[in-house]
């Protein structure tokens, strides 16, 4: 027979409000009390820190030997978990639950050792300070400025069967510190002026009390659930505010917050009940605003779904052990309140011991006449319903009276009842009630004795007529209600589909403000829709479609997006039912604007990151590439100066010419490098503004190739080449850059510069016979600081990057192709004159 595993050991935690409050001393005192009662108690691990009174508490207790561990040349001791389990005491004392074991130990944390000991059926009494709880680590660091490296998960401590708080007033703890009862004398002054300040100790004490209060509150809730106690136990003030999302919600929440502030430690909970039929609901955005207000008031927001709103409110309040429910006065009219009662009245009747605070507000109805709910039927259907109500009952009654041999009251009643249902389906409630009344008259006139007048001789016929009228009115009411619910259901389904489409568009992040206003116009059939933004005292249009107003008050309908944006609709005024969908569009518009702001911020961040990386690359590159021409210039100038001052022998004319040429070449190289750096900087910062005009390539290309020796560049451009629209100065820089690179790699082979005209563009081709560039590297060749196979030095690898940037600035493109027979062809494509300007 397999032995049953031992019952899990109980955990008792002595929780210290701060270091030095005496939690270890209290744990040892508990051990002495248990030992005196005959319990087998051993000390698994206790850290006395050399405190005499704590050391004295160990006397008379069995202390298990510690395990010795070597780590990095040092000998350390840890609790011997295996020895504790082998000893199998009833209770073991384990100090410092959050301790981290020496690397190489059986468990990483001492809390895991405690769990293993408990699994063996041994009770554990342990200690931990409040600053070592994982959830409070950040708070403790903000208070004390000290980050605790050793922490223990809150769940470990919460799982304890008993938690004993060890507390001490801040002044008493500081006196204990000053007397040397906690730390060594040399550490006292530093501790009193840093960690053990009165403010720090007070804050730690409050954290400990609040954390333990939450744990006690959770334990109370568990007890009530286990014992099925539904009545409220007002151990702590909890105020539940029932919000509908209506205009009175803000008043209720602020009243609830004021009530919660009167009791220290009170909680504010807002509850919104969603009707399960999905037809009754708050306008979109209003519940969200209530949730934001609750968060600003320091409360929590909860949502439940139920068909019985008062019952759901009371059940929630009882479940959270609330002491008060705040509810608003009904917004319904007096007749409905008199007949059906109010939500507040029903909550008060169900609340039992929970107080109900009824709050009046500006939305309570006065003696004004309430507006009837708009009919879901069109005007044409309502008119047709009235016509059918007037004609069908009397006409059908007359026809039946003529064709029936005997006065058949049951058949006529059924047919006229069917007529009432038909009228209800077509025209709604009021026409169907008229049809029922006229059907009653027809039955009385032609199908009850005496026939031909409204008198009824047989009491049974009178009863039948009364039943007919009641049934017809009831059926008409039911049919009308069903048709209204069907219309509301269809509208709710349409709203849900629209909202789902909005959600998908928002989640994909592909929607724009223009798409939002266009969709609003399509959904609601408006003449125009505009999204306006506040610009000082005026308004500017962010996006618009159709004949939209330029001011918020100019349209027929408006929806607030946020404090600075509004949707304005021009056209037929929207029905009340459509306002919720419009508010959903307003929320989407707000998200689109937020996405736009985030994208702009991301683009700015990317630009700054790119500029920073470029700056870093430039700083890395200039250390060599800019120093080379400067060194050449310095050496040449030093040679010339030395000859002029007589510090060196005389130079020949050839030597002087060579030095001067070196200075000239180095100066030209340095100028080229600096120009490229400036151009790249202007491109990346967006300060380059080209001046576009129509011009001939023959005005630009000869100047671009003029700096090269005869025979190195062949310019082949016909006079009939169409004009191009570009910036002359920038185009000259681009072509000169491309030709210079081509000449350098061609090594004496002539470079050809050609022009080909297309229907919309003119291509300038720079053809070389150099080594070419592999296709895989052609994308990188236009990036800054890319030299590829050009290792000859003399540049930062900016030429092609600057050339492409300048080309795009004037509305052109720059691509690389293979030269037939070997080499590389750079194709500079420019727009023809008259093809439109580039902005």
């Amino acid at each position: 027979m397999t032995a049953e595993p031992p019952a899990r050991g109980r955990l008792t935690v002595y929780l210290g409000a701060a270091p030095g409050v005496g939690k270890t001393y209290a744990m040892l005192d508990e051990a002495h009390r248990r030992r005196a009662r005959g319990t087998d108690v051993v000390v698994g691990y206790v850290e006395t820190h050399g405190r005499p009174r704590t050391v004295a508490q160990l006397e008379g207790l069995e202390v298990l030997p510690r395990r010795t561990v070597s780590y990095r040349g040092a000998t350390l001791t840890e609790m011997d978990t295996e020895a504790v389990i082998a000893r199998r005491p009833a209770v073991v004392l384990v100090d410092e639950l959050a301790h981290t074991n020496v690397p190489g130990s059986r468990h990483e944390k001492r809390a895991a050792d405690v769990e293993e000991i408990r699994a063996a059926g041994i009770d554990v009494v342990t200690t931990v300070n409040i600053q070592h709880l994982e959830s409070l680590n950040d708070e403790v660091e903000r208070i004390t400025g000290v980050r605790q490296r050793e922490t223990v998960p809150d769940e470990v401590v919460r799982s304890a069967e008993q938690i004993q708080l060890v507390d001490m007033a801040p002044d008493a703890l500081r006196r204990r510190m000053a007397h040397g009862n906690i730390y060594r004398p040399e550490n006292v002054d530093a501790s009193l002026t840093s960690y053990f300040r009165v403010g720090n100790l007070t804050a730690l004490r409050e954290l400990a009390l609040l954390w333990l209060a939450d744990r006690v509150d959770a334990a109370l809730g568990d007890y009530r659930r286990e014992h099925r106690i539904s009545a409220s136990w007002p151990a702590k003030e909890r105020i539940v505010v029932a919000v509908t999302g209506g205009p009175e919600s803000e008043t209720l929440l602020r009243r609830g917050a004021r009530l919660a502030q009167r009791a220290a430690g009170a909680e504010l909970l807002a509850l919104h009940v969603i009707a399960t039929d999905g037809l009754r609901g708050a306008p979109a955005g209003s519940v969200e605003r209530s949730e934001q207000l609750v968060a600003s008031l320091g409360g929590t927001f909860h949502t439940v779904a139920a068909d019985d709103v008062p019952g759901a409110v009371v059940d929630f309040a009882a479940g959270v052990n609330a002491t008060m429910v705040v509810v608003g006065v009904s917004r319904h009219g007096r007749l409905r309140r008199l007949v059906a009662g109010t939500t507040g009245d029903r909550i008060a009747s169900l609340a039992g011991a929970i107080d109900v605070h009824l709050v009046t507000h500006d939305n309570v109805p006065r003696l004004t006449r309430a507006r009837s709910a708009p009919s879901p039927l069109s005007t044409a259907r309502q008119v047709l319903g009235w016509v059918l109500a007037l004609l069908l009952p009397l006409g059908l009654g007359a026809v039946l009276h003529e064709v029936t041999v005997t006065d058949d009251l049951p058949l006529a009643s059924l047919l006229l009842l069917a007529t009432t249902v038909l009228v209800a389906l077509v025209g709604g409630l009021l026409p169907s009630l008229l049809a029922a009344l006229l059907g009653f008259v027809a039955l009385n006139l032609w199908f009850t004795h005496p026939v031909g007048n409204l008198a009824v001789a047989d009491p049974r016929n009178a009863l039948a007529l009364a039943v007919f009228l009641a049934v017809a009115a009831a059926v008409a009411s039911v049919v009308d209600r069903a048709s209204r619910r069907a219309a509301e259901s269809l509208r709710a389904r349409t709203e849900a589909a629209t909202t789902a489409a909005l959600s998908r568009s928002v989640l994909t992040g592909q929607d724009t403000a223009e798409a939002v206003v266009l969709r609003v116009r399509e959904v609601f059939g408006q003449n125009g829709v505009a999204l306006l933004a506040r610009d000082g005292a005026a308004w500017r249009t962010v996006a618009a479609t159709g004949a939209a107003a330029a001011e918020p008050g100019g349209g027929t309908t408006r929806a607030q997006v946020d404090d600075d944006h509004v949707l304005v609709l021009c056209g037929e005024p929207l029905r009340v039912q459509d306002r919720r969908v419009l508010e959903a569009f307003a929320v989407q518009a707000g998200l689109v604007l937020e996405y736009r702001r985030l994208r702009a911020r991301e683009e700015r961040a990317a630009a700054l990151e790119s500029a920073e990386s470029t700056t870093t690359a430039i700083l890395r590159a200039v250390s060599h590439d800019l120093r080379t021409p400067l060194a050449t210039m310095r050496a040449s100038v030093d040679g010339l100066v030395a000859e002029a001052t007589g510090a060196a022998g005389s130079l020949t004319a050839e030597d002087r010419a060579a030095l001067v040429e070196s200075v000239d070449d180095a100066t030209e190289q340095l100028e080229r490098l600096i120009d490229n750096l400036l151009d790249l900087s202007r491109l990346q910062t967006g300060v380059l503004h080209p001046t576009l005009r129509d011009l001939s390539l023959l005005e630009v290309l000869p100047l671009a190739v003029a700096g090269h020796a005869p025979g190195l560049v062949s310019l082949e451009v016909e006079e009939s080449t169409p004009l191009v629209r570009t910036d002359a100065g920038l185009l000259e820089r681009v072509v000169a850059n491309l030709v210079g690179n081509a000449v350098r790699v061609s090594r004496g082979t002539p470079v050809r510069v050609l022009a080909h005209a297309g229907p919309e563009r003119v291509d300038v081709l720079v053809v070389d016979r150099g080594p070419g560039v592999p296709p895989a590297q052609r994308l990188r060749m236009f990036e800054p600081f890319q030299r590829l196979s050009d290792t000859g030095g003399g540049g930062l690898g900016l030429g092609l990057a600057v050339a492409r940037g300048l080309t795009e600035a004037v509305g052109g493109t720059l691509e690389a192709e293979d030269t037939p027979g070997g080499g590389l062809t750079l194709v500079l494509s420019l727009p023809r004159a008259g093809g439109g300007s580039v902005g």
Side-chain angles (χ1 to χ4, degrees), residues 482-722:
S483 63
R484 286 177 179 271
R485 285 297 177 94
E488 291 175 355
S489 178
L490 178 61
R491 184 169 57 252
R493 188 163 61 249
T494 303
E495 292 178 7
T498 304
T499 305
L502 293 179
S503 301
R504 286 194 299 271
S505 64
V506 170
L507 290 175
T508 55
Q510 299 175 349
D511 228 342
T512 62
E514 291 75 12
V516 172
V517 297
L518 182 60
R519 190 178 294 123
V520 171
R521 183 184 180 189
E522 292 174 350
V523 170
F524 299 110
Q526 297 290 299
N527 298 328
V529 178
L531 176 61
L532 305 181
R534 190 186 304 275
D535 190 2
W539 293 82
R540 62 178 176 84
T541 302
V542 177
T545 177
E551 292 292 336
T556 57
T557 310
R558 63 188 298 272
Q560 194 75 25
V561 176
D562 53 35
D563 293 339
D564 298 321
H565 294 86
V566 65
L567 271 175
V568 177
L569 284 67
C570 293
E572 291 294 329
L574 296 187
R575 297 178 302 174
V576 176
Q577 297 91 333
D578 294 331
R579 291 288 304 186
R580 292 193 298 181
V581 181
L582 178 61
E583 291 184 6
F585 275 108
V587 173
Q588 185 203 19
L591 293 176
V592 168
L593 294 173
E594 182 64 22
Y595 281 142
R596 178 179 293 185
R597 287 191 289 267
L598 292 176
R599 283 197 297 267
R601 189 178 304 171
E602 183 180 0
E603 290 173 359
R604 289 195 298 269
L608 292 174
E609 184 178 357
S610 175
E612 182 180 0
S613 61
T614 301
T615 302
T616 303
I618 290 175
L619 292 176
R620 292 175 179 173
V622 297
S623 62
H624 177 269
D625 291 282
L626 292 183
R627 187 177 297 171
T628 300
L630 289 175
T632 302
M633 295 169 63
R634 180 62 180 268
S636 301
V637 171
D638 286 345
L640 294 173
V641 171
E643 185 206 13
T645 58
S650 59
L651 300 174
T652 63
E654 292 78 6
D655 293 336
R656 285 194 295 273
L659 292 175
V660 171
E661 184 179 0
S662 297
V663 172
D664 184 62
D665 292 342
T667 302
E668 182 180 354
Q669 181 183 357
L670 186 59
E671 288 177 347
R672 186 167 60 251
L673 293 175
I674 293 175
D675 288 342
N676 285 335
L677 287 173
L678 291 176
D679 288 339
L680 182 65
S681 175
R682 293 165 63 198
L683 287 170
Q684 292 187 336
T685 55
V687 298
L688 185 67
H689 302 291
T691 302
L692 303 181
R693 63 183 181 90
D694 298 340
L695 53 87
S696 172
L697 291 176
L698 292 176
E699 299 179 36
V700 179
L701 297 186
L703 299 176
V705 303
H708 299 282
L712 290 181
V713 180
S714 173
L715 181 60
E716 305 172 19
V717 180
E718 299 180 358
E719 294 185 359
S720 60
T721 302

Side-chain angles (χ1 to χ4, degrees), residues 151-207:
T151 59
V152 61
D154 291 42
E155 292 76 12
V156 175
V157 182
R158 288 185 184 274
S159 66
E161 283 74 15
Q162 181 179 350
I163 300 178
Q164 180 68 44
L165 179 64
V166 183
D167 189 16
M168 183 177 291
D171 290 336
L173 183 58
R174 284 171 57 85
R175 284 195 300 271
R176 189 177 178 197
M177 168 72 72
H179 293 159
N181 294 330
I182 300 177
Y183 292 156
R184 295 178 179 177
E186 59 269 21
N187 299 328
V188 170
D189 291 338
S191 299
L192 288 175
T193 57
S194 57
Y195 194 93
F196 284 81
R197 290 179 296 180
V198 173
N200 291 354
L201 298 177
T202 302
L204 291 175
R205 190 183 193 190
E206 184 177 10
L207 282 178

Side-chain angles (χ1 to χ4, degrees), residues 421-503:
V421 173
L422 176 62
V423 173
L425 291 174
V426 174
L429 178 61
L430 295 180
S432 64
L433 291 178
L434 177 61
L437 180 61
L438 294 180
F440 169 82
V441 172
L443 289 175
N444 190 10
L445 186 64
W446 289 312
F447 297 96
T448 60
H449 293 286
V451 178
N453 59 56
L454 298 179
V456 179
D458 191 345
R460 293 179 299 176
N461 290 340
L463 178 61
L465 290 176
V467 171
F468 168 81
L469 183 61
V471 170
V475 169
S477 176
V478 170
V479 172
D480 177 73
R481 180 182 292 271
S483 63
R484 286 177 179 271
R485 285 297 177 94
E488 291 175 355
S489 178
L490 178 61
R491 184 169 57 252
R493 188 163 61 249
T494 303
E495 292 178 7
T498 304
T499 305
L502 293 179
S503 301

Side-chain angles (χ1 to χ4, degrees), residues 280 308 310 330 332-347 349 481:
R280 294 170 290 169
D308 181 14
S330 175
H332 299 302
R334 291 190 174 186
L335 179 60
R336 178 168 178 178
R337 284 186 285 173
L338 180 63
V339 174
T342 66
T343 301
D345 295 337
R346 291 196 58 199
I347 291 176
S349 64
R481 180 182 292 271

Side-chain angles (χ1 to χ4, degrees), residues 247-326:
E248 75 280 0
S249 297
E250 181 176 347
T251 301
L252 301 181
L253 290 172
R254 296 190 184 279
R255 179 65 60 84
R258 288 198 298 271
L259 293 172
Q261 291 172 357
R262 296 174 183 175
E267 293 184 16
L268 175 66
L269 300 91
L271 176 65
H272 174 60
V273 180
I274 301 175
T276 54
D277 57 12
L279 301 177
R280 294 170 290 169
S286 60
V287 177
E288 181 181 355
R289 289 191 292 271
S290 298
E291 187 172 356
Q292 293 173 352
L293 177 59
V294 172
S296 66
L297 295 174
T300 57
F301 193 89
H302 306 267
T303 302
V304 298
D307 191 42
D308 181 14
V309 175
V313 173
V314 174
D315 289 343
F316 176 84
V320 298
N321 201 19
T323 56
M324 180 183 294
V325 173
V326 177

